[in-house]
Amino acid sequence: MGRIKDIRPLKWMGDSLLLLDQRKLPLSEEWVECRDYECVARAIEEMVVRGAPAIGVVAAYGVVLGAKEMASKSAGYADFKAKVELIINRLAATRPTAVNLFWALKRMKKIVEAGKSIEDIIAALETEAINIERQDVETNRKIGYYGAELLSSREVILTHCNTGALATAGYGTALGVVRAAVEMGKDVTVLVDETRPYLQGARLTAWELQQEGIPYYLITDNMAGWLMALGEVTCIIVGADRIARNGDTANKIGTYTLSVLAKEHGIPFYIAAPTSTFDLSIKEGSEIPIEERSSEEVLYCHCKNCRIAPYGARVKNPAFDVTPHYNITGIITEKGVINSPSEDRVVEFFSQ
Ligand code: MRU
């Protein structure tokens, strides 16, 4: 198997942020250049960049760009701080479900609060954003290692959405486990759910696996159950957008269905996520805000030039669902695996 490639969805240029336009993949590789925080906020809202860890990293760079902009637009230190806090609020309002966004912005806010001068704050914000990006890749490699250790020498892994390099600063979470297993020399085949309606699986996961030469089959979401019944799936690994204190996990719509099917067929169902995806302030999944996205994603093909449904069709489009903790075999983090997660186990894990 070939060497794992270093796919990156973003490049920090010092005075701008380059984002690989994920709306255009896999048909063209185009970069969006953001020179100000509003461009970054829109890029998150419009899905130029998506995936829980990636939007956290990108938002952190958005704060840096915003602080640099405000240096010349502020009437002194206090005004500068107030303006940067407004920028943080703007970035926080882009997407509601993935907690990594708020986690990264909290880190940036702390820097602003502790800073002694405008220059110091800007320099410290840039260092922090670079650290968040670097740490994310390191974290993902550790998740990959712990996850791959759980796998046997031959696996057919079903995954959902895109949890790869594109959804993070690099390497990926659930797809990072796949990468690590390949690096360990395991014989891995991936079943890629296309992930209606936004098709992150078909467009992005398939693209990443193809770049790496990792064997995969693309399937439509409704094929997963039947393939499980046929014994063609040995394990399911997905990512997460927010994990509650009891282990209930929000992830891309369709994950819950997979967890129920996995239970029915006795297939291990793993979540791979950094500890920054845990929201210990909430007790259970019902407290996780679920983003409702535009009806157009359901009514039209992704390329937007062909309508699927009749005019007048009413649509529901929750972008995420919540998998109850009791359907999860284990949560793979950079600090180890939480087996059969429950409130007690999660709390104990974080108290170590
Ligand atoms: O709407 P998206 O594409 O941002 O949703 C992404 C997911 O649901 C991923 O599974 C999750 O963020 C984990 S990415 C490592």
Side-chain angles (χ1 to χ4, degrees), residues 22 44 47 49-55 95 98 100 136 140 159-168 172-175 195 198 200 203-204 238-242 250-253 255 272-274 277 291 293 297 319-320:
Q22 299 191 30
I44 298 172
M47 308 285 271
V49 60
R50 28 65 50 202
I55 62 178
R95 293 194 74 189
N100 311 63
D136 186 57
N140 294 337
T159 193
H160 194 63
C161 195
N162 173 265
T163 61
L166 294 170
T168 60
T173 57
L175 223 54
T195 317
Y198 206 69
Q200 289 93 331
R203 295 186 304 106
L204 307 175
V238 297
D241 288 84
R242 196 185 292 223
N251 190 49
K252 180 53 55 195
I253 191 76
T255 304
T277 303
E291 178 180 9
R293 293 187 58 84
E297 290 179 359
F320 302 95

Side-chain angles (χ1 to χ4, degrees), residues 54-133:
I55 62 178
V57 173
V58 164
Y61 282 121
V63 178
V64 181
L65 288 174
K68 289 187 176 186
E69 272 173 86
M70 291 311 142
S72 58
K73 291 185 184 160
S74 305
Y77 172 70
D79 186 42
F80 169 80
K81 272 181 130 173
K83 286 195 160 83
V84 176
E85 294 211 354
L86 288 177
I87 288 168
I88 291 174
N89 293 344
R90 164 71 182 109
L91 288 160
T94 50
R95 293 194 74 189
T97 304
V99 80
N100 311 63
L101 174 68
F102 310 105
W103 169 86
L105 289 173
K106 206 167 159 186
R107 278 178 66 161
M108 300 306 272
K109 196 172 176 176
K110 266 194 188 156
I111 302 282
V112 177
E113 284 163 359
K116 299 272 179 285
S117 69
I118 294 178
E119 294 71 30
D120 284 355
I121 292 175
I122 291 174
L125 284 173
E126 187 162 2
T127 305
E128 187 71 342
I130 291 168
N131 280 339
I132 291 173
E133 178 185 354

